[in-house]
Amino acid sequence: MKKSAVYITIFILALLLTNCKDEYIGQFPVDKNNPQPVKNVVVENLPGKVKISYELPDEKDLLYVQGTCKLSSGVEKIAKTSVFSNSMIIEGFGKSEKMTLRLIAVDRSQNKSTPVDIEIEPLDSPIYEIFNQMKVIPSFGGLKISWSNPEKIDLMVGVLKQNKATGELDYVENFYSSLMQGIGTVRGQDSIRSLFAIYIRDTYMNYTDTLFLELQPFFEEEIPKNNFIAFSIPTYFKVYNSNSVLKKIWDGNVTDETNYNFFYIRPGNTMMPYFTFDLGITAKLS
């Protein structure tokens, strides 16, 4: 009886191990005939990318065309395009450099054609021109960064500041944008001349150089609210109740909503609501 139990256990384990193998997804090979390679390849070098056009081979079971190239950094880029297109775009290049792109046609049996090697030289990524034209000026409590992004690529503008105690660069803020005209404003900085460092990165982890510059943010402080004076609200503006008065805007309470404990104008007014109050001081607003 014990031997039978052992045999059954071994059989079950063998069955489980057999079923644990990864199942193949896709069509199983039906032949070993390699497809013909693509031909009449045309290269169009673009900023940060390259467009490859070609003539597909006359193969009934052709599945896709694969393009591969290796950057000087060792990073390999791979792109695949189905038989419904005769071109591909490979993106994510940084600084312009010559490299070899290898094109291979693959059929449904996973047979590969002889490779076609072509030379490509994508133009510099747009981030470098954006960086060169970037403008940085001191602002209230910090600095203001502006840049032009005509191709609307996704980018990140990173801001660092030198720690005067350690000499290291500390993180300040990152701005993410794909706008044609981008603006980033750093706030909360003391009005002390400091060394800032600014760089740009794209989504493919390409980095520009770093711009180092010393700036002194404009002095900024909050206007005391105890001197604010509320002017009368026009009588035709519908407020929620008598507790809904203008000074609720600056009373420091941002959480208590009991009985509409904030300035609330009802909808349905005959004109756009507006209100006025006196700051109680002469000041330049930032």
Side-chain angles (χ1 to χ4, degrees), residues 101-122:
L101 175 69
R102 172 162 291 186
L103 296 172
I104 298 176
V106 183
D107 67 16
R108 295 184 183 279
S109 295
Q110 298 301 308
N111 299 311
K112 299 179 181 180
S113 70
T114 55
V116 176
D117 291 340
I118 56 173
E119 184 180 86
I120 62 173
E121 190 175 2

Tab-separated table of all heavy atoms in Angstrom, residues 101-122:
chain	number	residue	atom	x	y	z
A	101	LEU	N	21.340	50.550	-38.409
A	101	LEU	CA	20.018	49.992	-38.151
A	101	LEU	C	19.873	48.701	-38.945
A	101	LEU	O	20.160	48.674	-40.148
A	101	LEU	CB	18.925	50.978	-38.551
A	101	LEU	CG	17.488	50.468	-38.453
A	101	LEU	CD1	17.095	50.270	-36.998
A	101	LEU	CD2	16.517	51.430	-39.130
A	102	ARG	N	19.444	47.649	-38.293
A	102	ARG	CA	19.285	46.339	-38.945
A	102	ARG	C	17.803	46.035	-39.110
A	102	ARG	O	17.044	46.027	-38.138
A	102	ARG	CB	19.984	45.260	-38.147
A	102	ARG	CG	19.718	43.834	-38.616
A	102	ARG	CD	20.763	42.864	-38.087
A	102	ARG	NE	22.064	43.099	-38.716
A	102	ARG	CZ	23.125	42.321	-38.527
A	102	ARG	NH1	23.040	41.271	-37.726
A	102	ARG	NH2	24.274	42.598	-39.128
A	103	LEU	N	17.386	45.773	-40.349
A	103	LEU	CA	16.004	45.429	-40.662
A	103	LEU	C	15.904	43.943	-40.984
A	103	LEU	O	16.699	43.422	-41.764
A	103	LEU	CB	15.501	46.255	-41.845
A	103	LEU	CG	15.413	47.773	-41.631
A	103	LEU	CD1	15.093	48.469	-42.933
A	103	LEU	CD2	14.374	48.109	-40.576
A	104	ILE	N	14.918	43.286	-40.379
A	104	ILE	CA	14.701	41.859	-40.604
A	104	ILE	C	13.212	41.618	-40.829
A	104	ILE	O	12.375	42.110	-40.060
A	104	ILE	CB	15.180	41.021	-39.402
A	104	ILE	CG1	16.681	41.193	-39.188
A	104	ILE	CG2	14.853	39.546	-39.600
A	104	ILE	CD1	17.214	40.485	-37.966
A	105	ALA	N	12.874	40.898	-41.873
A	105	ALA	CA	11.493	40.482	-42.119
A	105	ALA	C	11.259	39.143	-41.435
A	105	ALA	O	12.104	38.244	-41.498
A	105	ALA	CB	11.232	40.386	-43.614
A	106	VAL	N	10.109	39.024	-40.771
A	106	VAL	CA	9.775	37.804	-40.029
A	106	VAL	C	8.419	37.289	-40.493
A	106	VAL	O	7.461	38.065	-40.607
A	106	VAL	CB	9.741	38.062	-38.508
A	106	VAL	CG1	9.459	36.774	-37.746
A	106	VAL	CG2	11.042	38.694	-38.039
A	107	ASP	N	8.324	35.964	-40.752
A	107	ASP	CA	7.044	35.402	-41.192
A	107	ASP	C	6.311	34.742	-40.026
A	107	ASP	O	6.786	34.737	-38.887
A	107	ASP	CB	7.237	34.443	-42.371
A	107	ASP	CG	8.013	33.184	-41.987
A	107	ASP	OD1	8.150	32.897	-40.783
A	107	ASP	OD2	8.497	32.480	-42.901
A	108	ARG	N	5.160	34.145	-40.301
A	108	ARG	CA	4.316	33.594	-39.262
A	108	ARG	C	4.902	32.324	-38.633
A	108	ARG	O	4.448	31.888	-37.580
A	108	ARG	CB	2.920	33.305	-39.826
A	108	ARG	CG	2.198	34.569	-40.253
A	108	ARG	CD	0.787	34.291	-40.726
A	108	ARG	NE	0.168	35.523	-41.193
A	108	ARG	CZ	-0.388	36.450	-40.404
A	108	ARG	NH1	-0.418	36.249	-39.098
A	108	ARG	NH2	-0.921	37.533	-40.918
A	109	SER	N	5.875	31.744	-39.288
A	109	SER	CA	6.570	30.589	-38.712
A	109	SER	C	7.821	31.012	-37.950
A	109	SER	O	8.650	30.183	-37.598
A	109	SER	CB	6.939	29.602	-39.826
A	109	SER	OG	5.779	29.064	-40.423
A	110	GLN	N	7.955	32.328	-37.749
A	110	GLN	CA	9.098	32.904	-37.029
A	110	GLN	C	10.409	32.707	-37.782
A	110	GLN	O	11.491	32.763	-37.180
A	110	GLN	CB	9.205	32.346	-35.609
A	110	GLN	CG	8.005	32.654	-34.733
A	110	GLN	CD	7.740	34.131	-34.583
A	110	GLN	OE1	8.630	34.908	-34.222
A	110	GLN	NE2	6.522	34.569	-34.888
A	111	ASN	N	10.328	32.494	-39.089
A	111	ASN	CA	11.529	32.461	-39.914
A	111	ASN	C	11.957	33.900	-40.207
A	111	ASN	O	11.119	34.768	-40.451
A	111	ASN	CB	11.270	31.720	-41.234
A	111	ASN	CG	10.856	30.282	-41.002
A	111	ASN	OD1	11.501	29.569	-40.244
A	111	ASN	ND2	9.768	29.855	-41.647
A	112	LYS	N	13.249	34.137	-40.200
A	112	LYS	CA	13.773	35.479	-40.390
A	112	LYS	C	14.547	35.594	-41.695
A	112	LYS	O	15.240	34.660	-42.098
A	112	LYS	CB	14.682	35.867	-39.211
A	112	LYS	CG	13.960	35.883	-37.871
A	112	LYS	CD	14.907	36.244	-36.738
A	112	LYS	CE	14.179	36.244	-35.402
A	112	LYS	NZ	15.098	36.601	-34.284
A	113	SER	N	14.414	36.760	-42.310
A	113	SER	CA	15.150	37.009	-43.549
A	113	SER	C	16.601	37.331	-43.242
A	113	SER	O	16.980	37.553	-42.078
A	113	SER	CB	14.513	38.176	-44.298
A	113	SER	OG	14.754	39.392	-43.596
A	114	THR	N	17.410	37.396	-44.261
A	114	THR	CA	18.767	37.910	-44.084
A	114	THR	C	18.652	39.386	-43.722
A	114	THR	O	17.791	40.104	-44.254
A	114	THR	CB	19.588	37.743	-45.369
A	114	THR	OG1	18.884	38.379	-46.447
A	114	THR	CG2	19.817	36.292	-45.689
A	115	PRO	N	19.469	39.874	-42.821
A	115	PRO	CA	19.331	41.270	-42.377
A	115	PRO	C	19.765	42.269	-43.442
A	115	PRO	O	20.622	41.982	-44.266
A	115	PRO	CB	20.245	41.328	-41.147
A	115	PRO	CG	21.241	40.245	-41.355
A	115	PRO	CD	20.529	39.152	-42.092
A	116	VAL	N	19.144	43.434	-43.390
A	116	VAL	CA	19.528	44.567	-44.234
A	116	VAL	C	20.052	45.650	-43.305
A	116	VAL	O	19.306	46.173	-42.471
A	116	VAL	CB	18.334	45.082	-45.052
A	116	VAL	CG1	18.737	46.330	-45.843
A	116	VAL	CG2	17.818	44.010	-45.988
A	117	ASP	N	21.325	45.973	-43.395
A	117	ASP	CA	21.945	46.989	-42.545
A	117	ASP	C	22.004	48.320	-43.287
A	117	ASP	O	22.488	48.386	-44.422
A	117	ASP	CB	23.351	46.564	-42.129
A	117	ASP	CG	23.342	45.379	-41.173
A	117	ASP	OD1	22.286	45.134	-40.549
A	117	ASP	OD2	24.366	44.698	-41.059
A	118	ILE	N	21.529	49.370	-42.621
A	118	ILE	CA	21.557	50.716	-43.203
A	118	ILE	C	22.120	51.682	-42.166
A	118	ILE	O	22.059	51.429	-40.961
A	118	ILE	CB	20.158	51.173	-43.649
A	118	ILE	CG1	19.184	51.100	-42.459
A	118	ILE	CG2	19.641	50.342	-44.811
A	118	ILE	CD1	17.833	51.674	-42.760
A	119	GLU	N	22.659	52.772	-42.644
A	119	GLU	CA	23.215	53.787	-41.744
A	119	GLU	C	22.170	54.864	-41.484
A	119	GLU	O	21.540	55.369	-42.403
A	119	GLU	CB	24.468	54.425	-42.342
A	119	GLU	CG	25.149	55.415	-41.398
A	119	GLU	CD	26.392	56.047	-42.008
A	119	GLU	OE1	26.247	57.065	-42.718
A	119	GLU	OE2	27.486	55.494	-41.795
A	120	ILE	N	21.979	55.198	-40.209
A	120	ILE	CA	21.068	56.280	-39.842
A	120	ILE	C	21.824	57.301	-38.989
A	120	ILE	O	22.845	56.983	-38.367
A	120	ILE	CB	19.847	55.753	-39.064
A	120	ILE	CG1	20.293	55.089	-37.752
A	120	ILE	CG2	19.033	54.789	-39.921
A	120	ILE	CD1	19.138	54.698	-36.847
A	121	GLU	N	21.317	58.499	-38.946
A	121	GLU	CA	21.913	59.559	-38.129
A	121	GLU	C	20.811	60.530	-37.702
A	121	GLU	O	20.659	61.607	-38.265
A	121	GLU	CB	23.006	60.305	-38.891
A	121	GLU	CG	23.826	61.246	-38.018
A	121	GLU	CD	24.977	61.893	-38.777
A	121	GLU	OE1	25.122	61.644	-40.005
A	121	GLU	OE2	25.755	62.645	-38.153
A	122	PRO	N	19.989	60.111	-36.719
A	122	PRO	CA	18.902	60.981	-36.257
A	122	PRO	C	19.439	62.329	-35.799
A	122	PRO	O	20.560	62.435	-35.285
A	122	PRO	CB	18.302	60.203	-35.087
A	122	PRO	CG	18.759	58.799	-35.278
A	122	PRO	CD	20.082	58.865	-35.950
